[in-house]
Amino acid sequence: MTDLDFGREAYPIPGPPNSSLADILERVLDKGIVIAGDIKIDLLDIELLTIRLRLFVASVDTAKKAGIDWWETDPALSSRAAQNSLRDENRALRERLDALEAKTEETEETKETSDHT
Protein backbone atom coordinates (compact mmCIF):
# COMPACT_ATOMS: atom_id res chain seq x y z
CA MET A 1 0.00 0.00 0.00
CA THR A 2 1.26 3.46 -0.92
CA ASP A 3 1.23 6.20 1.64
CA LEU A 4 0.12 9.55 0.22
CA ASP A 5 0.94 12.70 2.12
CA PHE A 6 -1.90 15.19 1.81
CA GLY A 7 -0.51 17.36 4.52
CA ARG A 8 0.37 21.00 4.26
CA GLU A 9 3.99 20.35 3.36
CA ALA A 10 3.02 18.69 0.07
CA TYR A 11 1.64 21.90 -1.51
CA PRO A 12 3.53 25.11 -1.93
CA ILE A 13 2.33 28.03 0.10
CA PRO A 14 0.72 30.65 -2.13
CA GLY A 15 2.24 34.10 -2.09
CA PRO A 16 5.02 36.08 -3.66
CA PRO A 17 8.06 34.06 -4.60
CA ASN A 18 11.04 34.36 -2.35
CA SER A 19 13.49 36.73 -3.95
CA SER A 20 16.68 37.96 -2.51
CA LEU A 21 17.78 41.56 -2.79
CA ALA A 22 20.35 40.49 -5.37
CA ASP A 23 17.61 38.92 -7.52
CA ILE A 24 15.50 42.07 -7.34
CA LEU A 25 18.49 44.29 -8.15
CA GLU A 26 19.44 42.07 -11.09
CA ARG A 27 15.87 42.23 -12.42
CA VAL A 28 15.73 46.03 -12.06
CA LEU A 29 19.09 46.52 -13.75
CA ASP A 30 18.18 44.09 -16.53
CA LYS A 31 14.82 45.67 -17.33
CA GLY A 32 15.47 49.23 -16.16
CA ILE A 33 13.19 51.43 -14.14
CA VAL A 34 12.06 55.00 -14.72
CA ILE A 35 11.18 57.33 -11.88
CA ALA A 36 9.66 60.63 -12.87
CA GLY A 37 8.34 63.52 -10.89
CA ASP A 38 7.85 67.26 -10.83
CA ILE A 39 8.40 69.66 -7.97
CA LYS A 40 6.54 72.93 -8.25
CA ILE A 41 6.69 75.82 -5.83
CA ASP A 42 3.95 78.41 -6.19
CA LEU A 43 3.32 81.49 -4.11
CA LEU A 44 -0.11 83.07 -4.44
CA ASP A 45 -0.72 81.38 -7.79
CA ILE A 46 2.65 82.63 -9.08
CA GLU A 47 4.98 79.90 -10.18
CA LEU A 48 8.33 80.45 -8.54
CA LEU A 49 10.18 77.23 -9.28
CA THR A 50 9.62 74.05 -11.25
CA ILE A 51 12.02 71.14 -11.11
CA ARG A 52 11.40 68.20 -13.42
CA LEU A 53 13.11 65.02 -12.32
CA ARG A 54 13.62 62.01 -14.57
CA LEU A 55 15.61 59.08 -13.24
CA PHE A 56 16.44 55.99 -15.28
CA VAL A 57 18.03 53.17 -13.31
CA ALA A 58 19.44 50.36 -15.40
CA SER A 59 22.60 48.47 -16.20
CA VAL A 60 25.00 49.90 -18.76
CA ASP A 61 23.92 47.37 -21.38
CA THR A 62 20.23 48.11 -20.84
CA ALA A 63 20.89 51.86 -21.01
CA LYS A 64 22.81 51.43 -24.27
CA LYS A 65 19.90 49.42 -25.70
CA ALA A 66 17.67 52.36 -24.76
CA GLY A 67 20.00 54.71 -26.65
CA ILE A 68 21.51 56.33 -23.57
CA ASP A 69 25.32 56.55 -23.64
CA TRP A 70 26.18 60.10 -22.58
CA TRP A 71 28.92 58.89 -20.26
CA GLU A 72 30.95 57.75 -23.27
CA THR A 73 30.98 61.23 -24.81
CA ASP A 74 31.33 63.34 -21.66
CA PRO A 75 35.02 64.33 -21.27
CA ALA A 76 34.55 64.64 -17.50
CA LEU A 77 33.56 60.98 -17.23
CA SER A 78 35.43 59.21 -20.03
CA SER A 79 39.16 59.34 -20.68
CA ARG A 80 38.50 58.34 -24.30
CA ALA A 81 36.05 61.21 -24.70
CA ALA A 82 38.58 63.56 -23.09
CA GLN A 83 41.24 62.43 -25.58
CA ASN A 84 38.82 62.85 -28.47
CA SER A 85 37.88 66.28 -27.16
CA LEU A 86 41.55 67.30 -27.00
CA ARG A 87 42.15 65.84 -30.44
CA ASP A 88 39.22 67.80 -31.87
CA GLU A 89 40.38 70.98 -30.15
CA ASN A 90 43.93 70.49 -31.49
CA ARG A 91 42.60 69.88 -35.00
CA ALA A 92 40.45 73.03 -34.84
CA LEU A 93 43.41 75.07 -33.55
CA ARG A 94 45.71 73.76 -36.29
CA GLU A 95 43.11 74.62 -38.92
CA ARG A 96 42.83 78.14 -37.49
CA LEU A 97 46.61 78.46 -37.42
CA ASP A 98 46.89 77.29 -41.04
CA ALA A 99 44.21 79.78 -42.09
CA LEU A 100 45.93 82.62 -40.21
CA GLU A 101 49.32 81.72 -41.69
CA ALA A 102 47.85 81.61 -45.19
CA LYS A 103 46.18 84.96 -44.63
CA THR A 104 49.43 86.46 -43.29
CA GLU A 105 51.36 85.21 -46.32
CA GLU A 106 48.77 86.71 -48.65
CA THR A 107 48.98 90.02 -46.80
CA GLU A 108 52.79 90.02 -46.99
CA GLU A 109 52.74 89.18 -50.72
CA THR A 110 50.23 91.96 -51.35
CA LYS A 111 52.36 94.39 -49.34
CA GLU A 112 55.54 93.40 -51.23
CA THR A 113 53.77 93.76 -54.58
CA SER A 114 52.49 97.23 -53.67
CA ASP A 115 55.96 98.26 -52.43
CA HIS A 116 57.59 97.26 -55.77
CA THR A 117 55.12 99.20 -57.84
Side-chain angles (χ1 to χ4, degrees):
M1 179 169 196
T2 305
D3 290 332
L4 295 176
D5 184 14
F6 293 106
R8 189 174 178 148
E9 295 82 33
Y11 299 103
I13 300 171
N18 291 336
S19 298
S20 67
L21 182 60
D23 293 338
I24 294 170
L25 184 61
E26 182 179 340
R27 197 173 314 149
V28 166
L29 292 177
D30 183 47
K31 300 291 182 186
I33 185 171
V34 175
I35 301 170
D38 295 336
I39 299 172
K40 243 178 159 180
I41 299 175
D42 294 344
L43 179 65
L44 301 174
D45 292 334
I46 299 171
E47 185 176 323
L48 297 177
L49 178 68
T50 300
I51 299 173
R52 303 183 80 198
L53 300 171
R54 304 295 181 259
L55 180 64
F56 178 60
V57 179
S59 68
V60 170
D61 292 337
T62 303
K64 284 183 177 180
K65 287 177 187 173
I68 301 170
D69 61 351
W70 51 263
W71 59 87
E72 292 181 348
T73 57
D74 188 344
L77 299 174
S78 170
S79 60
R80 186 181 321 147
Q83 290 173 352
N84 289 342
S85 175
L86 285 174
R87 190 177 308 136
D88 292 344
E89 186 178 354
N90 281 340
R91 184 172 16 90
L93 288 173
R94 287 173 200 235
E95 289 173 0
R96 272 185 77 188
L97 181 63
D98 290 342
L100 288 172
E101 286 178 347
K103 192 172 184 177
T104 303
E105 288 177 8
E106 287 177 13
T107 305
E108 288 177 359
E109 289 175 4
T110 306
K111 190 176 179 180
E112 288 177 7
T113 306
S114 64
D115 287 344
H116 291 291
T117 55

